[in-house]
Amino acid sequence: YKIPGTLEDEGAQVFIPKINAFDSSARRGERLIAQLDAIRASSGGNIRKFNLIGHSQGGITSRYVMNVRPDLVASVTTLHTPHKGSPLADIVTGLAPKGSLTGVGFETLANAVGNLVNLLSNNKADDSDINAMLAEFNAAGSADFNALFPAGVPTSSCGQGPSRVSINGHRIRLYSWS
């Protein structure tokens, strides 16, 4: 809310990626990497690294990019990101398990909402996959994701982690607000 405009008013060059509303952070991250590579290539070498800002799953997606392609990232700022999972995701996956009648109904409705968000955002993404998203937001899935992509995970729930990391020689600053 008002972040892009405020940054532009301060002289920043802002790019807003087109990423699927509901999908796994890895698939979202790969889409973001492709867009960052394209922006960097079209800049004629003027843009080398990006300051990524992500809200909720956008923070997890940004952490994925940082872990996989640290050469693209100067900093990662996460806002209200469930780095260690969300109790709501555990409740939803418990009440509407994938493949159950309730789960299929929930999946159909949630994916329709995600596809509508994509449409309204002029985002020509693949169809939404709420189950892929929830699989990373529940406690077990979050722990698995964090084991694969550990850089940037706060040391405790709602806690503060390191202020910077070094990945393959690339120093990246980290910021987080909740």
Side-chain angles (χ1 to χ4, degrees):
Y1 177 71
K2 295 187 179 183
I3 291 173
T6 301
L7 290 172
E8 288 172 336
D9 289 347
E10 295 294 324
Q13 189 173 11
V14 177
F15 302 94
I16 300 173
K18 301 289 186 182
I19 298 174
N20 199 336
F22 299 153
D23 207 344
S24 74
S25 294
R27 281 194 296 265
R28 289 166 44 99
E30 290 301 321
R31 272 192 186 272
L32 180 54
I33 288 169
Q35 291 173 50
L36 296 175
D37 279 337
I39 293 166
R40 186 160 76 171
S42 70
S43 79
N46 291 327
I47 298 174
R48 294 182 306 135
K49 293 192 172 202
F50 296 87
N51 297 293
L52 304 179
I53 300 173
H55 171 258
S56 191
Q57 188 181 12
I60 296 170
T61 301
S62 296
R63 276 190 35 237
Y64 171 87
V65 172
M66 173 184 71
N67 278 268
V68 173
R69 287 289 306 278
D71 61 299
L72 291 172
V73 182
S75 71
V76 171
T77 301
T78 61
L79 308 163
H80 303 287
T81 297
H83 293 286
K84 298 205 174 199
S86 165
L88 182 58
D90 288 313
I91 292 168
V92 170
T93 55
L95 292 175
K98 184 177 177 178
S100 70
L101 183 58
T102 307
V104 170
F106 172 76
E107 178 182 2
T108 301
L109 177 63
N111 285 338
V113 169
N115 291 336
L116 179 61
V117 169
N118 289 334
L119 179 69
L120 295 174
S121 302
N122 194 26
N123 182 7
K124 296 176 178 137
D126 297 327
D127 285 340
S128 291
D129 186 348
I130 190 69
N131 288 323
M133 185 183 90
L134 285 174
E136 291 177 356
F137 275 44
N138 64 31
S142 177
D144 290 344
F145 184 89
N146 290 339
L148 290 171
F149 309 105
V153 178
T155 53
S156 64
S157 295
C158 298
Q160 186 171 335
S163 62
R164 70 180 138 222
V165 294
S166 182
I167 304 171
N168 298 330
H170 298 278
R171 293 175 53 118
I172 302 167
R173 294 206 172 266
L174 303 174
Y175 307 93
S176 182
W177 281 274
S178 286

